[in-house]
């Protein structure tokens, strides 16, 4: 049916890693189920929704291993699996499909199993004793981190091509800045935000967002196409938020002691703290959950900075020095050196010639780009300020609807402006 036949298999070995594997199963499974349910309801596909909710999909999947051992046809589970992948692919879902766990018991129990045979069949070494192998939909291995390189440098590292008579052919010039900017802003950045919004709408927080959390993939067979310095077609891009091992429901996240310590620094009491137990404010639970989401938004803001000020940077030569663009440097500059003052931060960026075009882009539409970065980077502070200014309200306070959300930011003017 035109679906990719490749899968991604992750091996988790060791007690800590296996704990992460189980957490990833749980977190991604929750998100996948919530997304499917919402999608099927929105499309009024009641028959398919009923099959899922009554457990027929799960039952077919659980029988698959035994059916394989007894040479029983697995068409039912095959059909369910293809349906899942078709739905996710057609809607460009922002998370990787979790397909299942490999049952390795036969391998461990078979004393005659030849390790070389395993390698010949799968191209990798056999599993470590007690390890867990999880299987996911394949989206390639290119991350936003690997993409966060000035295109001039990317172009200089492309493998040389030869033309007629074996002569080296120079790489073509890069696409115009505006074309690349449109792809970055309305394709990559908006796709990253959409991935976070999908999780938050399901009341799930990621809790480990960074450049490596996002896979930049293509709808074509060559998944690396999306991170090429020549990539400018948004329709061929698919942004995937991966690595769900540290995710939790927003409510679960608020029960974490370290989370409570962080929220207190912003004037928001820990849900399980003594102060909250004796307080009369019934909004604490809701505000704490919104703070958990605000932490995701803050981390996303740092990732946005990294993408914008690398992929759209314009160094004079491929070897010209670049200002630091790692997350720690951005955090130190914005929070400590410029004390979260966006205007001073803008002046710093403006003073770097390599970023002139980026600053001009962010200045458009009355500084829409800087406003978006402020909404993300200052999400925690603005939530804290709102909570402090509205003490005495209740959990039904209509003002809560005005707080910044990932879903609300998808219609931000920065994503709506024309970049031509």
């Amino acid at each position: 049916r035109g679906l990719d036949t490749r899968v991604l298999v992750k091996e988790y070995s060791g007690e800590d890693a296996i704990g992460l594997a189980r957490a990833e199963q749980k977190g991604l499974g929750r998100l996948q189920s919530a997304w499917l349910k919402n999608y099927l309801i929105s499309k009024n596909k009641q028959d398919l929704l009923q099959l899922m909710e009554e457990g027929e999909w799960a039952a077919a999947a659980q029988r698959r291993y035994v059916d394989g051992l007894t040479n029983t046809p697995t068409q039912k589970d095959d059909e369910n699996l293809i349906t899942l992948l078709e739905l996710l692919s057609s809607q460009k879902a922002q998370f990787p499909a979790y397909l299942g766990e490999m049952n390795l018991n036969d391998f461990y129990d078979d004393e005659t199993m030849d390790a070389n045979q395993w390698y010949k069949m799968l191209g990798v070494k056999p599993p470590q004793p007690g390890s867990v192998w999880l299987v996911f939909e394949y989206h390639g291995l290119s991350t936003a981190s690997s993409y966060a390189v000035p295109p001039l440098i990317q172009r200089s590292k492309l493998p040389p091509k030869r033309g007629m008579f074996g002569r080296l052919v120079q790489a073509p010039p890069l696409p115009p800045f505006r074309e690349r900017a449109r792809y970055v802003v309305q394709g990559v950045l908006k796709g990253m935000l959409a991935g976070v919004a999908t999780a938050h709408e399901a009341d799930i927080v990621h809790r480990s967002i960074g450049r490596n959390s996002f896979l930049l993939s293509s709808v074509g067979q060559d998944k690396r196409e999306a991170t090429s310095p020549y990539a400018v077609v948004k329709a061929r891009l698919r942004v995937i938020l991966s690595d769900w091992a540290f995710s939790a429901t927003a409510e679960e996240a608020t029960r974490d002691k370290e989370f409570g310590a962080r929220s207190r620094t912003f004037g928001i009491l820990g849900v399980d703290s003594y102060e909250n137990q004796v307080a009369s404010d019934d909004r604490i639970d809701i505000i704490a959950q919104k703070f958990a989401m605000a932490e995701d938004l803050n981390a996303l803001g740092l990732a946005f900075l990294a993408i914008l000020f690398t992929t759209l940077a314009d160094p004079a030569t491929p070897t010209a020095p670049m200002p630091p663009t790692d997350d720690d440097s951005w955090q130190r500059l914005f929070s400590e050196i410029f004390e979260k003052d966006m205007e001073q931060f803008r002046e710093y960026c403006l003073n770097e010639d390599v970023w002139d075009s980026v600053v001009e882009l962010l200045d458009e539409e009355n500084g829409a780009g800087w406003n978006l970065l402020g909404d993300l980077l200052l999400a925690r502070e603005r939530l804290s300020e709102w909570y402090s200014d509205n003490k005495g309200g209740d959990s039904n306070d209509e003002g809560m609807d005005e707080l910044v959300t990932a879903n609300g930011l998808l219609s931000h003017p920065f994503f709506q402006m024309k970049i031509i």
Side-chain angles (χ1 to χ4, degrees):
R1 299 188 191 179
L3 295 172
D4 200 324
T5 58
R6 295 170 290 184
V7 294
L8 173 68
V9 181
K10 290 185 180 181
E11 179 179 19
Y12 302 78
S13 180
E15 184 177 350
D16 291 341
I18 290 176
L20 291 176
R22 298 310 177 201
E24 180 134 20
Q25 284 178 302
K26 183 178 180 181
L28 189 51
R30 278 173 171 165
L31 179 60
Q32 187 166 284
S33 296
W35 184 93
L36 277 171
K37 182 175 181 178
N38 290 336
Y39 173 77
L40 294 176
I41 291 175
S42 69
K43 298 300 181 179
N44 198 29
K45 295 180 179 290
Q46 296 298 326
D47 53 342
L48 191 53
L49 179 62
Q50 184 176 355
L51 289 175
M52 288 177 52
E53 292 187 329
E54 292 180 353
E56 291 197 27
W57 274 34
Q62 291 170 346
R63 288 197 306 268
R64 186 179 188 95
Y65 177 67
V66 175
D67 287 345
L69 291 179
T70 58
N71 292 322
T72 303
T74 59
Q75 284 98 329
K76 190 63 178 177
D77 190 48
D78 294 341
E79 184 65 31
N80 294 342
L81 191 61
I82 291 172
T83 299
L84 168 66
L85 292 173
E86 284 182 329
L87 290 176
L88 296 175
S89 178
S90 65
Q91 300 303 307
K92 286 190 174 181
Q94 289 86 17
F95 56 89
Y98 170 58
L99 305 181
E101 177 181 346
M102 286 186 66
N103 191 323
L104 300 173
N105 291 332
D106 286 348
F107 173 76
Y108 294 135
D109 295 340
D110 190 349
E111 297 179 357
T112 65
M113 176 65 75
D114 183 0
N116 290 327
Q117 182 181 6
W118 181 282
Y119 186 84
K120 288 178 182 178
M121 294 179 66
L122 293 180
V124 295
K125 64 182 181 180
Q128 297 293 318
S131 64
V132 170
W133 284 33
L134 301 185
V135 186
F136 302 87
E137 181 184 12
Y138 181 73
H139 293 288
L141 302 175
S142 298
T143 66
S145 181
S146 62
Y147 180 60
V149 177
L152 187 64
I153 296 177
Q154 281 197 63
R155 178 176 177 268
S156 70
K157 294 182 178 180
L158 293 174
K161 293 185 177 181
R162 296 186 180 273
M164 293 182 63
F165 309 112
R167 293 180 180 177
L168 290 177
V169 178
Q170 187 177 10
L174 293 168
F177 175 82
R178 302 292 289 187
E179 289 186 23
R180 291 187 283 113
R182 183 170 61 248
Y183 179 77
V184 169
V185 173
Q186 299 174 359
V188 177
L189 298 187
K190 190 173 183 179
M192 293 166 67
L193 178 61
V196 177
T198 297
H200 288 186
E201 289 299 296
D203 286 325
I204 295 171
V205 286
H206 189 277
R207 302 201 296 179
S208 62
I209 286 175
R211 282 177 273 184
N212 283 315
S213 306
F214 294 94
L215 295 172
L216 302 186
S217 185
S218 168
V219 296
Q221 281 291 301
D222 186 359
K223 304 304 181 184
R224 298 170 299 177
E225 171 191 341
T227 53
S228 164
Y230 298 99
V232 292
V233 182
K234 294 182 297 177
R236 295 190 62 78
L237 172 67
R238 192 166 169 195
V239 182
I240 304 295
L241 180 52
S242 62
D243 300 334
W244 294 88
F246 294 99
S247 66
T249 65
E251 182 179 3
E252 289 172 346
T254 64
R255 306 293 175 182
D256 182 77
K257 290 184 178 180
E258 292 183 1
F259 171 86
R262 293 194 304 272
S263 67
R264 283 180 67 91
T265 64
F266 288 85
I268 297 174
L269 299 177
V271 171
D272 292 332
S273 66
Y274 171 75
E275 294 93 331
N276 183 36
Q277 304 304 319
V278 299
S280 59
D281 192 341
D282 64 350
R283 299 177 303 165
I284 287 292
D285 286 0
I286 297 175
I287 290 296
Q289 291 178 35
K290 290 187 177 297
F291 186 82
M293 295 181 182
E295 288 194 314
D296 274 357
L297 295 180
N298 171 259
L300 182 64
L302 295 174
F304 272 28
L305 287 174
I307 296 294
L308 283 165
F309 287 92
T310 53
T311 62
L312 299 179
D314 187 24
T317 68
T319 58
M322 281 279 296
T325 56
D326 58 279
D327 288 349
D328 288 341
S329 294
W330 286 125
Q331 182 73 50
R332 185 171 61 255
L333 282 166
F334 182 72
S335 298
E336 299 175 18
I337 297 178
F338 299 114
E339 298 180 335
K340 303 177 182 179
D341 186 317
M342 188 61 74
E343 186 57 37
Q344 291 187 34
F345 181 67
R346 178 191 173 278
E347 288 299 317
Y348 160 76
C349 297
L350 184 60
N351 288 327
E352 297 287 351
D353 292 342
V354 71
W355 291 335
D356 284 349
S357 297
V358 187
V359 173
E360 290 179 10
L361 177 69
L362 296 172
D363 283 345
E364 293 182 24
E365 296 293 328
N366 298 316
W370 299 109
N371 292 335
L372 173 64
L373 289 174
D375 285 339
L376 294 170
L377 294 170
L378 298 172
R380 298 172 300 177
E381 288 80 3
R382 291 175 179 174
L383 176 64
S384 172
E385 182 180 355
W386 181 89
Y387 177 63
S388 176
D389 291 345
N390 291 275
K391 284 186 176 178
D394 57 44
S395 58
N396 295 316
D397 195 323
E398 293 182 358
M400 284 190 178
D401 295 336
E402 300 175 2
L403 295 173
V404 168
T405 65
N407 195 53
L409 289 177
L410 288 173
S411 57
H412 193 278
F414 188 56
F415 296 127
Q416 306 299 322
M417 69 183 192
K418 292 183 179 180
I419 307 177
I420 55 176

